[in-house]
Amino acid sequence: MKQKLLTTLATLSLTLLSPQSIATDTTVIYAGSVLLGAKQTLEKQRTIIIKDNIITDIVKGFPSVVELKLPDAHVFDLKNQFVLPGLIDMHVHVTFERDATVNPHQWLTEYEADNALRSIKYLKRSLDAGFTSVRDLGGNYKVIFPLKRAVERGDITGPRIFAAGNAITATGGHGDLHGYRKEVSDVMTSSLGVCNGADDCRRAVRNVIKNGADVIKITATGGVLSNTAAGVNQQLSDDELAAIVDTAHHLGRKVTAHAHGTQGINAALKAGVDSIEHGSYLTKESMELFNKTNAYLVPTLLAGATVSKEVLSNPNMPTAIADKVREVAPKMEASFKLALKNKVNIAFGTDSGVSRHGLNADEFVLLVKYGMSEKQAIMSATVDAAKLLGQQDRLGQLSVGKQADIISVNGSPLDDITTLKNVQFVMKAGNVYKNQL
Ligand SMILES: [Zn+2]
């Protein structure tokens, strides 16, 4: 592992793309304050010992490397820092960033490589913001999977990526292409995830998994940012939803449903999806379904806040989209509060790409503003997110045996959640990518 990384480093001429330091066989971190274990218990003065990419021990106090019998260890002094696990964002679009100043047709002039190259800076920003893992929900499979592999090889710098690839959507659904004449749509639409009828949706699920999907993203209802006045109600029928969930689960993949309208949310939950994205119109029945199935809500409050702001200043936003923004975005706050009150499982997700990559921690501020405790908000982006990823044995907490994904901030986020907007130190799998100390 170490040899492979060093070889990769030697071949890179741009130091910008390489970690600041490569893990020696052993690394020692002195942590002033730290959240430890599955319960994220606050402890003071702990020493974290890392071998390669794994946490091998956590001891009290600050013993010297000689006392630890690790004289050659690489040492990071975070005695004045608040240390916590690397953050996990369960809803991003790393191949995309919304920019009202860019010609909306620019993408038609570009190749997938343009898209992938532009995404490199989005990935770097996300990692610099302390997000060591992200779940990408609905990106062109020709772009997102090569990016994921490039990060794994160490060719580019970014969070660990879990990706859906193309979303499963009905013809004309939120995940399909809108707003162009038919001849353009026919050429530019990827048919990979478009399906109609239960059998066809089974095919689509098998197809996206064959092409690399770690998770299945479906568009159960209409969406706010698709250029069509088709509302945000249910788009995949009950039998299609059941076929999708059944097929995905047989193939060992979780299903997450983009869903705004109540009927679509509840139908997706009844079909057995593992999580709901957005969940803008939640009702009492939704609460019962969440609590019965143990599904997660990924609230994406930042997406609502971002487009609500944009609609006020961007005269070029198509009417079909602007109308839905004004209608849907203000509903997200009440739905989130309802879910919180009913103790629904909540995992952190920003829909970054709608907002700028690297501002992911703004979601924490909204979660706390609308009623989550600081501790709950941190749990949603660490332990709870790891559970929804199915990665709880590897990620989301600082414990012996887990991946060394470790970040630090100035001051306690338990007292002031905005400290998470200014991450000082980022380690992913034992390698340090940012160190402002
Ligand atoms: Zn999204």
Side-chain angles (χ1 to χ4, degrees), residues 91 93 217 351:
H91 189 145
H93 299 279
K217 158 86 178 282
D351 216 351

Side-chain angles (χ1 to χ4, degrees), residues 119-427:
S119 304
I120 291 171
K121 67 173 181 284
Y122 304 152
L123 285 166
K124 181 159 191 324
R125 273 194 236 143
S126 309
L127 186 61
D128 280 347
F131 288 80
T132 49
S133 299
V134 295
R135 189 173 69 158
D136 189 275
L137 294 184
N140 183 342
Y141 71 99
K142 291 179 185 172
V143 181
I144 188 63
F145 295 118
L147 282 171
K148 174 187 155 110
R149 289 191 287 268
V151 171
E152 283 170 358
R153 286 193 303 267
D155 293 350
I156 60 173
T157 292
R160 191 180 286 107
I161 299 173
F162 298 89
N166 294 60
I168 305 290
T169 184
T171 292
H174 177 56
D176 202 354
L177 181 62
H178 302 277
Y180 297 93
R181 55 184 284 173
K182 184 177 180 304
E183 291 86 341
V184 177
S185 290
D186 285 351
V187 173
M188 299 306 291
T189 303
S190 166
S191 60
L192 201 67
V194 177
C195 66
N196 297 281
D199 273 349
D200 195 32
C201 288
R202 286 189 191 95
R203 175 203 57 78
V205 171
R206 290 171 182 142
N207 221 1
V208 294
I209 293 174
K210 178 178 148 186
N211 280 285
D214 299 309
V215 58
I216 300 300
K217 158 86 178 282
I218 66 173
T219 58
T221 75
V224 174
L225 293 178
S226 41
N227 189 9
T228 171
V232 291
N233 291 323
Q234 186 171 350
Q235 291 188 336
L236 286 163
S237 61
D238 293 356
D239 63 332
E240 289 167 337
L241 289 168
I244 289 166
V245 172
D246 195 45
T247 308
H249 285 174
H250 281 159
L251 295 172
R253 299 299 190 279
K254 293 194 177 189
V255 179
T256 193
H258 155 105
H260 290 289
T262 303
Q263 195 192 3
I265 292 169
N266 293 354
L269 288 169
K270 281 178 197 158
V273 298
D274 301 279
S275 50
I276 297 284
E277 307 295 317
H278 317 303
S280 304
Y281 293 81
L282 298 177
T283 61
K284 197 162 165 283
E285 189 190 358
S286 320
M287 297 301 100
E288 285 159 12
L289 288 164
F290 268 113
N291 288 328
K292 192 172 134 201
T293 63
N294 277 324
Y296 280 70
L297 173 67
V298 182
T300 71
L301 299 171
L302 182 57
T306 303
V307 293
S308 293
K309 215 163 154 192
E310 189 193 323
V311 77
L312 300 174
S313 61
N314 178 9
N316 295 323
M317 189 182 267
T319 312
I321 295 177
D323 287 349
K324 285 183 285 181
V325 168
R326 290 190 197 96
E327 170 62 31
V328 178
K331 304 289 191 298
M332 296 176 95
E333 178 184 338
S335 283
F336 170 70
K337 286 177 173 170
L338 184 67
L340 197 58
K341 199 174 131 206
N342 284 277
K343 299 190 167 31
V344 169
N345 295 321
I346 291 172
F348 180 101
T350 59
D351 216 351
S352 284
V354 172
S355 53
R356 270 172 64 82
H357 293 283
L359 301 180
N360 314 53
D362 285 353
E363 180 80 15
F364 284 114
V365 180
L366 295 168
L367 292 171
V368 170
K369 182 178 167 191
Y370 296 150
M372 256 190 171
S373 71
E374 286 81 357
K375 174 97 176 272
Q376 273 179 305
I378 293 168
M379 297 278 280
S380 80
T382 53
V383 181
D384 297 335
K387 270 188 212 150
L388 178 54
L389 271 179
Q391 296 287 324
Q392 63 273 26
D393 294 341
R394 288 174 67 213
L395 305 177
Q397 56 175 287
L398 303 182
S399 301
V400 171
K402 301 290 190 273
Q403 286 283 308
D405 288 2
I406 300 173
I407 66 166
S408 81
V409 292
N410 275 326
S412 171
L414 297 176
D415 298 331
D416 177 4
I417 200 72
T418 65
T419 56
L420 292 174
K421 290 170 60 147
N422 199 359
V423 169
Q424 306 289 306
F425 175 90
V426 178
M427 171 182 272

